[in-house]
Amino acid sequence: MFKSGFVTIVGRPNVGKSTLLNLLMGEKLSIVSNKPQTTRNNIQTILTGEDYQIVFVDTPGIHKPKHKLGEYMVNSAKDSIKDVDLVLFLINPDVEIGRGDKFILEQLKEQKAPVILVLNKVDESNHERVAQTLANYSKEMEFKEIIPISALKGKNTDKLLELMIESMPEGPKYYPDDMITDVQERFVVSEIVREKALRNLSQEVPHGIAVEVIQMKQDDKGKYNIEVNIICEKDSHKGIIIGKNGQTLKRIGETARYELEKFLHAKVNIKTWVKVRKEWRDNPLFLKELGYKKNK
Ligand SMILES: Nc1nc2c(ncn2[C@@H]2O[C@H](COP(=O)(O)OP(=O)(O)OP(=O)(O)O)[C@@H](O)[C@H]2O)c(=O)[nH]1
Ligand SMILES: [Mg+2]
């Protein structure tokens, strides 16, 4: 019997959703950083085994939105729990249930799909905390399964995958064997650059950044020439992104190039420009241009 279905991964920002998705896929398809609100779009990936196919959806962390971009992100995550076969609700060993998780629990109670409670980052915690957190959450609603894991260390994640496969209904192979994601190559390129910007910047700058690929061409030797705009919200941010003697921008470009070459399996030449667009996160037209629009 062939089993297949859709699984969405939801949770607060920074709990490790994208890290888990990448681990399950065995490939980095969703960017990861230690800053909350890293993921901005629903990212669909496809894991095909001998007798199963699971379509995963990595979602933006659910939070209280402060601008239109945030609203888009939270709506994307909320939409993802409609019409799926299974929801993974990722939490951290926080013991107390915070406002954010309470809000997510409300959404989960309103939908029909079974929910697996996944407590991530057990490597950072102790047995007691983990047990107490799980006990507190399991009072809130009926979970199909409850499992503590570490997405970073790959602990208990095989077991989680087994549980997911068990939960899948009988179904067809929706996608061909070799298809692992539905996102465009250009999107992944912009995300890789955004990840490097997030990782090389601190404080308030990263959240106001977007990356636009303005050119991506392969020459006759197979080398990619890529040009990107790094968009930020303020002139002062532009200065921070560029850094003293252009050092920061240079580091962003170099670390991005390294990863782009791995992703594209080719040599890469990258040019980066920094542009200021005041309050772009509240500009509907510009959000649309960047692909942050509904039902993408
Ligand atoms: N110690 C530890 N850290 C983890 C684990 N999983 C993820 N992290 C770290 O947690 C941070 C956030 O990880 P992400 O995967 O980007 O989290 P996310 O839930 O996708 O975050 P958003 O996209 O912002 O909602 C990163 O620094 C990860 O390395 C884990 O199992 N253990
Ligand atoms: Mg993420």
Side-chain angles (χ1 to χ4, degrees):
M1 181 181 76
F2 197 85
K3 295 175 127 193
S4 61
F6 289 76
V7 177
T8 184
I9 311 175
V10 296
R12 276 186 298 110
N14 219 34
V15 290
K17 298 176 293 298
S18 302
T19 306
L20 175 62
L21 177 96
N22 292 336
L23 182 102
L24 291 166
M25 291 301 302
E27 189 155 349
K28 185 164 155 194
L29 293 166
S30 193
I31 64 169
V32 166
S33 88
N34 61 4
K35 315 231 169 30
Q37 300 172 30
T38 296
T39 305
R40 287 178 178 166
N41 309 75
N42 287 352
I43 291 168
Q44 188 166 303
T45 70
I46 304 133
L47 184 67
T48 308
E50 192 98 318
D51 49 5
Y52 69 88
Q53 183 168 70
I54 301 182
V55 182
F56 292 111
V57 187
D58 181 20
T59 66
I62 295 178
H63 62 283
K64 201 167 168 208
K66 294 203 180 74
H67 38 68
K68 288 211 166 61
L69 173 64
E71 279 167 28
Y72 164 82
M73 289 161 62
V74 174
N75 286 336
S76 303
K78 285 207 290 201
D79 284 349
S80 80
I81 54 180
K82 292 176 194 152
D83 304 321
V84 286
D85 299 289
L86 180 70
V87 178
L88 298 190
F89 174 30
L90 235 71
I91 58 166
N92 284 167
D94 299 320
V95 183
E96 297 301 328
I97 306 175
R99 282 230 303 272
D101 278 333
K102 282 237 160 87
F103 179 74
I104 298 170
L105 280 162
E106 293 312 314
Q107 313 290 315
L108 294 178
K109 283 181 210 165
E110 278 173 22
Q111 57 86 49
K112 283 181 268 124
V115 180
I116 298 185
L117 180 68
V118 182
L119 192 153
N120 187 34
K121 306 198 186 181
V122 290
D123 57 291
E124 271 185 344
S125 193
N126 60 48
H127 185 71
E128 243 165 71
R129 262 181 93 80
V130 169
Q132 193 56 52
T133 308
L134 289 177
N136 286 350
Y137 278 77
S138 46
K139 280 183 216 142
E140 295 291 318
M141 67 177 275
E142 183 103 26
F143 293 106
K144 184 164 201 280
E145 305 276 353
I146 290 178
I147 180 169
I149 66 159
S150 167
L152 193 68
K153 308 265 153 123
K155 196 175 162 206
N156 237 5
T157 46
D158 287 348
K159 181 82 195 355
L160 174 61
L161 182 60
E162 260 173 49
L163 292 175
M164 287 192 274
I165 297 169
E166 272 170 30
S167 308
M168 291 298 102
E170 187 173 357
K173 200 180 264 185
Y174 294 102
Y175 295 98
D177 285 324
D178 57 354
M179 186 167 170
I180 54 167
T181 179
D182 72 337
V183 298
Q184 305 280 326
E185 207 167 57
R186 239 180 142 91
F187 171 76
V188 181
V189 168
S190 71
E191 286 286 271
I192 289 173
V193 178
R194 192 164 65 84
E195 183 192 79
K196 300 315 166 200
L198 284 173
R199 290 185 176 202
N200 283 292
L201 298 163
S202 56
Q203 306 308 329
E204 82 273 40
V205 186
H207 289 303
I209 281 181
V211 175
E212 204 179 18
V213 178
I214 47 177
Q215 182 184 282
M216 182 164 162
K217 272 203 218 125
Q218 235 174 335
D219 67 16
D220 10 327
K221 293 204 182 88
K223 182 172 185 166
Y224 280 89
N225 285 302
I226 297 174
E227 280 185 46
V228 301
N229 280 340
I230 298 178
I231 292 140
C232 63
E233 294 193 312
K234 292 181 185 162
D235 292 322
S236 60
H237 289 177
K238 181 173 176 176
I240 296 170
I241 296 167
I242 293 171
K244 201 173 165 197
N245 303 322
Q247 283 299 312
T248 310
L249 189 59
K250 196 166 164 217
R251 204 160 54 236
I252 294 169
E254 272 167 7
T255 47
R257 184 175 59 83
Y258 177 77
E259 195 163 322
L260 287 168
E261 289 187 340
K262 278 201 296 185
F263 172 70
L264 296 165
H265 304 290
K267 287 265 172 241
V268 169
N269 191 7
I270 181 168
K271 278 201 189 118
T272 49
W273 312 97
V274 184
K275 295 256 151 75
V276 181
R277 279 269 195 151
K278 300 226 159 70
E279 296 180 4
W280 68 264
R281 287 184 291 177
D282 268 319
N283 179 336
L285 267 182
F286 194 56
L287 287 173
K288 202 166 163 206
E289 236 172 76
L290 287 170
Y292 300 121
K293 56 173 190 264
K294 277 219 111 165
N295 303 326
K296 191 179 151 267

mmCIF file of all heavy atoms in Angstrom, residues 1 34 37 54 70 92 98 103 106 108 162 190-191 199 205 220 258 265 282 293:
data_model
loop_
_atom_site.group_PDB
_atom_site.id
_atom_site.type_symbol
_atom_site.label_atom_id
_atom_site.label_comp_id
_atom_site.label_asym_id
_atom_site.label_seq_id
_atom_site.Cartn_x
_atom_site.Cartn_y
_atom_site.Cartn_z
ATOM 1 N N MET A 1 0.833 -1.204 0.000
ATOM 2 C CA MET A 1 0.000 0.000 0.000
ATOM 3 C C MET A 1 0.870 1.257 0.000
ATOM 4 O O MET A 1 1.775 1.387 0.828
ATOM 5 C CB MET A 1 -0.898 -0.006 1.251
ATOM 6 C CG MET A 1 -1.798 1.189 1.295
ATOM 7 S SD MET A 1 -2.860 1.252 2.764
ATOM 8 C CE MET A 1 -1.755 1.764 4.036
ATOM 9 N N ASN A 34 19.635 32.300 13.964
ATOM 10 C CA ASN A 34 19.271 32.374 15.381
ATOM 11 C C ASN A 34 18.358 33.564 15.663
ATOM 12 O O ASN A 34 18.048 33.866 16.790
ATOM 13 C CB ASN A 34 20.521 32.427 16.259
ATOM 14 C CG ASN A 34 21.375 33.641 15.955
ATOM 15 O OD1 ASN A 34 20.989 34.486 15.140
ATOM 16 N ND2 ASN A 34 22.520 33.749 16.593
ATOM 17 N N GLN A 37 11.717 34.981 13.195
ATOM 18 C CA GLN A 37 11.099 35.444 11.941
ATOM 19 C C GLN A 37 12.034 35.352 10.748
ATOM 20 O O GLN A 37 12.085 36.233 9.901
ATOM 21 C CB GLN A 37 10.541 36.862 12.091
ATOM 22 C CG GLN A 37 9.476 36.934 13.176
ATOM 23 C CD GLN A 37 9.036 38.345 13.481
ATOM 24 O OE1 GLN A 37 9.052 39.209 12.612
ATOM 25 N NE2 GLN A 37 8.649 38.596 14.719
ATOM 26 N N ILE A 54 5.772 12.146 1.419
ATOM 27 C CA ILE A 54 5.254 13.172 2.324
ATOM 28 C C ILE A 54 5.603 14.548 1.772
ATOM 29 O O ILE A 54 6.751 14.811 1.410
ATOM 30 C CB ILE A 54 5.832 13.033 3.749
ATOM 31 C CG1 ILE A 54 5.507 11.657 4.335
ATOM 32 C CG2 ILE A 54 5.260 14.127 4.663
ATOM 33 C CD1 ILE A 54 6.002 11.457 5.752
ATOM 34 N N GLY A 70 4.553 41.011 8.179
ATOM 35 C CA GLY A 70 4.253 40.104 9.284
ATOM 36 C C GLY A 70 2.876 39.467 9.138
ATOM 37 O O GLY A 70 2.689 38.282 9.394
ATOM 38 N N ASN A 92 9.440 24.502 22.260
ATOM 39 C CA ASN A 92 10.729 24.373 22.937
ATOM 40 C C ASN A 92 10.482 24.055 24.413
ATOM 41 O O ASN A 92 9.376 24.260 24.912
ATOM 42 C CB ASN A 92 11.538 25.663 22.787
ATOM 43 C CG ASN A 92 12.162 25.809 21.394
ATOM 44 O OD1 ASN A 92 12.638 26.862 21.027
ATOM 45 N ND2 ASN A 92 12.153 24.744 20.611
ATOM 46 N N GLY A 98 3.522 30.130 26.784
ATOM 47 C CA GLY A 98 3.453 31.583 26.573
ATOM 48 C C GLY A 98 2.272 31.976 25.700
ATOM 49 O O GLY A 98 1.547 31.131 25.184
ATOM 50 N N PHE A 103 -1.951 31.059 21.483
ATOM 51 C CA PHE A 103 -2.622 31.475 20.253
ATOM 52 C C PHE A 103 -2.591 30.347 19.220
ATOM 53 O O PHE A 103 -3.605 30.046 18.576
ATOM 54 C CB PHE A 103 -1.941 32.737 19.704
ATOM 55 C CG PHE A 103 -2.524 33.235 18.423
ATOM 56 C CD1 PHE A 103 -3.757 33.870 18.420
ATOM 57 C CD2 PHE A 103 -1.860 33.057 17.217
ATOM 58 C CE1 PHE A 103 -4.309 34.333 17.225
ATOM 59 C CE2 PHE A 103 -2.409 33.508 16.021
ATOM 60 C CZ PHE A 103 -3.635 34.149 16.031
ATOM 61 N N GLU A 106 -5.018 27.603 20.023
ATOM 62 C CA GLU A 106 -6.400 27.942 19.639
ATOM 63 C C GLU A 106 -6.651 27.591 18.175
ATOM 64 O O GLU A 106 -7.688 27.039 17.830
ATOM 65 C CB GLU A 106 -6.690 29.435 19.853
ATOM 66 C CG GLU A 106 -6.693 29.884 21.309
ATOM 67 C CD GLU A 106 -7.526 28.980 22.201
ATOM 68 O OE1 GLU A 106 -8.655 28.644 21.786
ATOM 69 O OE2 GLU A 106 -7.041 28.583 23.287
ATOM 70 N N LEU A 108 -5.081 25.396 16.388
ATOM 71 C CA LEU A 108 -5.015 23.945 16.182
ATOM 72 C C LEU A 108 -6.298 23.257 16.636
ATOM 73 O O LEU A 108 -6.742 22.295 16.011
ATOM 74 C CB LEU A 108 -3.812 23.357 16.921
ATOM 75 C CG LEU A 108 -2.445 23.805 16.383
ATOM 76 C CD1 LEU A 108 -1.318 23.200 17.202
ATOM 77 C CD2 LEU A 108 -2.285 23.443 14.906
ATOM 78 N N GLU A 162 9.006 8.041 11.333
ATOM 79 C CA GLU A 162 8.197 6.808 11.373
ATOM 80 C C GLU A 162 6.751 7.110 11.764
ATOM 81 O O GLU A 162 5.813 6.618 11.144
ATOM 82 C CB GLU A 162 8.756 5.856 12.435
ATOM 83 C CG GLU A 162 9.612 4.740 11.903
ATOM 84 C CD GLU A 162 10.234 3.971 13.062
ATOM 85 O OE1 GLU A 162 9.501 3.591 14.003
ATOM 86 O OE2 GLU A 162 11.468 3.793 13.033
ATOM 87 N N SER A 190 17.860 33.947 -3.578
ATOM 88 C CA SER A 190 17.623 35.156 -2.776
ATOM 89 C C SER A 190 17.610 34.820 -1.287
ATOM 90 O O SER A 190 18.101 35.582 -0.458
ATOM 91 C CB SER A 190 16.320 35.850 -3.193
ATOM 92 O OG SER A 190 15.205 35.087 -2.797
ATOM 93 N N GLU A 191 17.072 33.652 -0.947
ATOM 94 C CA GLU A 191 17.022 33.244 0.459
ATOM 95 C C GLU A 191 18.426 32.979 1.020
ATOM 96 O O GLU A 191 18.705 33.304 2.178
ATOM 97 C CB GLU A 191 16.157 31.988 0.629
ATOM 98 C CG GLU A 191 14.660 32.237 0.495
ATOM 99 C CD GLU A 191 14.070 32.951 1.699
ATOM 100 O OE1 GLU A 191 13.644 32.285 2.653
ATOM 101 O OE2 GLU A 191 14.047 34.195 1.675
ATOM 102 N N ARG A 199 22.872 36.435 9.210
ATOM 103 C CA ARG A 199 23.930 35.889 10.063
ATOM 104 C C ARG A 199 25.067 36.867 10.294
ATOM 105 O O ARG A 199 25.801 36.754 11.265
ATOM 106 C CB ARG A 199 24.475 34.599 9.464
ATOM 107 C CG ARG A 199 23.443 33.490 9.554
ATOM 108 C CD ARG A 199 23.979 32.178 9.090
ATOM 109 N NE ARG A 199 22.974 31.140 9.296
ATOM 110 C CZ ARG A 199 23.252 29.866 9.393
ATOM 111 N NH1 ARG A 199 24.495 29.447 9.317
ATOM 112 N NH2 ARG A 199 22.285 28.986 9.572
ATOM 113 N N VAL A 205 18.542 45.513 12.298
ATOM 114 C CA VAL A 205 18.706 45.578 10.842
ATOM 115 C C VAL A 205 18.130 44.360 10.102
ATOM 116 O O VAL A 205 17.398 44.512 9.133
ATOM 117 C CB VAL A 205 20.194 45.780 10.458
ATOM 118 C CG1 VAL A 205 20.349 45.993 8.969
ATOM 119 C CG2 VAL A 205 20.777 46.951 11.228
ATOM 120 N N ASP A 220 28.971 30.465 -21.004
ATOM 121 C CA ASP A 220 29.152 29.209 -21.760
ATOM 122 C C ASP A 220 29.982 28.183 -20.984
ATOM 123 O O ASP A 220 29.953 27.007 -21.283
ATOM 124 C CB ASP A 220 29.747 29.424 -23.164
ATOM 125 C CG ASP A 220 30.249 30.819 -23.390
ATOM 126 O OD1 ASP A 220 29.625 31.732 -22.816
ATOM 127 O OD2 ASP A 220 31.247 31.007 -24.111
ATOM 128 N N TYR A 258 29.852 30.929 -1.487
ATOM 129 C CA TYR A 258 30.260 29.578 -1.099
ATOM 130 C C TYR A 258 29.054 28.635 -1.098
ATOM 131 O O TYR A 258 29.086 27.541 -1.654
ATOM 132 C CB TYR A 258 30.917 29.645 0.287
ATOM 133 C CG TYR A 258 31.317 28.321 0.835
ATOM 134 C CD1 TYR A 258 32.468 27.680 0.363
ATOM 135 C CD2 TYR A 258 30.551 27.687 1.814
ATOM 136 C CE1 TYR A 258 32.832 26.443 0.857
ATOM 137 C CE2 TYR A 258 30.907 26.447 2.310
ATOM 138 C CZ TYR A 258 32.048 25.831 1.831
ATOM 139 O OH TYR A 258 32.397 24.609 2.324
ATOM 140 N N HIS A 265 25.712 23.772 -7.916
ATOM 141 C CA HIS A 265 26.729 22.857 -8.468
ATOM 142 C C HIS A 265 27.494 23.514 -9.610
ATOM 143 O O HIS A 265 27.684 22.925 -10.672
ATOM 144 C CB HIS A 265 26.107 21.545 -8.958
ATOM 145 C CG HIS A 265 25.321 20.829 -7.911
ATOM 146 N ND1 HIS A 265 25.911 20.224 -6.815
ATOM 147 C CD2 HIS A 265 23.992 20.649 -7.761
ATOM 148 C CE1 HIS A 265 24.967 19.700 -6.056
ATOM 149 N NE2 HIS A 265 23.792 19.942 -6.597
ATOM 150 N N ASP A 282 5.594 47.696 4.819
ATOM 151 C CA ASP A 282 4.184 48.082 4.833
ATOM 152 C C ASP A 282 3.696 48.542 3.464
ATOM 153 O O ASP A 282 2.617 49.102 3.349
ATOM 154 C CB ASP A 282 3.959 49.196 5.870
ATOM 155 C CG ASP A 282 3.583 48.612 7.223
ATOM 156 O OD1 ASP A 282 2.793 47.639 7.233
ATOM 157 O OD2 ASP A 282 4.099 49.087 8.239
ATOM 158 N N LYS A 293 3.072 37.723 -1.357
ATOM 159 C CA LYS A 293 1.667 37.989 -1.623
ATOM 160 C C LYS A 293 0.868 36.742 -1.331
ATOM 161 O O LYS A 293 1.421 35.660 -1.192
ATOM 162 C CB LYS A 293 1.479 38.438 -3.066
ATOM 163 C CG LYS A 293 2.032 37.457 -4.077
ATOM 164 C CD LYS A 293 1.662 37.881 -5.473
ATOM 165 C CE LYS A 293 1.985 36.781 -6.468
ATOM 166 N NZ LYS A 293 3.255 36.901 -7.136
#
